[in-house]
Amino acid sequence: LHLLDGAPADARQLAWILGDRGAVTRLLRGQCMRTRYALFDELGAALQLPGDPAEAWSDLAAPLGELDWLARRSSPPAAHVLVVIAASLTLVAEPAEFAEFCRTLVDVAGRRATEVEVGVPIPLHVVLADDPVGLAALRVRLAADQAEFREVTGWTPQEPAVVRERSARAEF
């Protein structure tokens, strides 16, 4: 688990940069994951999981362990990265589920780092992004659940270079 102090646009930019460097990234919306069922639904949509949303944490662990179908390239990705925007809103309606959410992610990431059949492991990283107030709340929740995390450091969002070209479409 990684914490990122930043606005949603900053989190999107980090995901884009990581994707440009070989990671497969997916954005998740914390405001759409206030309950366990909503979290399963958002993850299912973002990861394009087949079938109905998961109903238990164990149902979610299996597909998170194998995200091979997300890579649309011939070589394996450098990593799979889930970026949760407005992460402090994740499971706020069911706070007791937050510990199980963290435990599931950490367990899956640990298994992916050690269980390799062929080649090198493909790590799973989860970035919880929010503003300073949201991150303070997340730190309290993570500490209460004894979940380990790292701060994302050494990265500063940058203004995107905008190239304005004249559109071939008619202007009204």
Side-chain angles (χ1 to χ4, degrees):
L1 297 173
H2 307 275
L3 297 184
L4 173 68
D5 181 355
D10 300 334
R12 285 185 196 93
Q13 186 181 57
L14 177 64
W16 184 84
I17 289 169
L18 291 173
D20 199 41
R21 294 182 181 171
V24 173
T25 61
R26 290 295 183 268
L27 292 169
L28 302 163
R29 301 165 296 171
Q31 68 270 25
C32 295
M33 301 189 310
R34 295 174 191 252
T35 66
R36 182 172 55 113
Y37 182 80
L39 182 143
F40 292 158
D41 191 46
E42 178 74 0
L43 270 168
L47 298 176
Q48 304 163 1
L49 298 177
D52 294 329
E55 293 184 9
W57 294 109
S58 59
D59 297 341
L60 186 62
L64 285 177
E66 293 184 25
L67 296 173
D68 299 339
W69 69 89
L70 291 178
R72 291 180 169 84
R73 40 180 102 117
S74 58
S75 62
H80 288 110
V81 182
L82 305 178
V83 179
V84 182
I85 296 170
S88 63
L89 298 175
T90 302
L91 295 168
V92 293
E94 296 178 325
E97 296 288 335
F98 191 73
E100 195 60 36
F101 171 61
C102 293
R103 214 173 354 265
T104 300
L105 294 174
V106 169
D107 289 348
V108 169
R111 276 198 320 272
R112 287 177 55 132
T114 58
E115 295 177 6
V116 180
E117 292 179 19
V118 178
V120 297
I122 300 172
L124 172 67
H125 298 282
V126 179
V127 177
L128 304 173
D130 217 319
D131 61 22
V133 174
L135 284 183
L138 271 173
R139 286 185 188 98
V140 169
R141 292 172 76 188
L142 291 165
D145 296 332
Q146 299 178 344
E148 292 184 26
F149 61 89
R150 294 181 184 157
E151 303 282 341
V152 175
T153 59
W155 177 77
T156 304
Q158 308 206 355
E159 289 294 321
V162 178
V163 178
R164 297 190 186 262
E165 293 182 17
R166 221 166 163 190
S167 173
R169 300 170 70 180
E171 295 181 15
F172 295 103

